[in-house]
Amino acid sequence: MLSARLSLIAAAAQIGVQIGTMSQQFADCIILVAVFTSMLSPIAFVAILSKQRSADISS
C-alpha cells in the first residue's frame, strides 16, 4: 500500500517537473519526504498501537 503511494508521488513530481510547475530540487524534496514517511509510518503505527494495547490491558 505504501509503495503504491510512493510511486504515485514520484510520478506526480516528475510530471510537475516536465510541465514546469516545479523545479527538480523541489520534486526531489517531495520524493525524499515520501520515502521517509513510508519508512517511518509503520514504525510509528506499531509503537502507538503497542502503547494503546498496554494501556487497555492495565486498565
Side-chain angles (χ1 to χ4, degrees):
M1 175 102 165
L2 292 175
S3 64
R5 180 175 172 252
L6 184 59
S7 297
L8 182 62
I9 291 170
Q14 188 60 37
I15 290 170
V17 169
Q18 288 177 352
I19 63 174
T21 58
M22 67 176 71
S23 67
Q24 183 64 49
Q25 292 82 11
F26 187 67
D28 292 342
C29 289
I30 290 173
I31 293 170
L32 187 61
V33 168
V35 168
F36 283 139
T37 55
S38 293
M39 293 170 55
L40 294 177
S41 293
I43 296 168
F45 176 76
V46 169
I48 291 169
L49 184 65
S50 66
K51 285 182 181 180
Q52 181 66 33
R53 284 189 179 171
S54 65
D56 289 344
I57 291 171
S58 63
S59 53

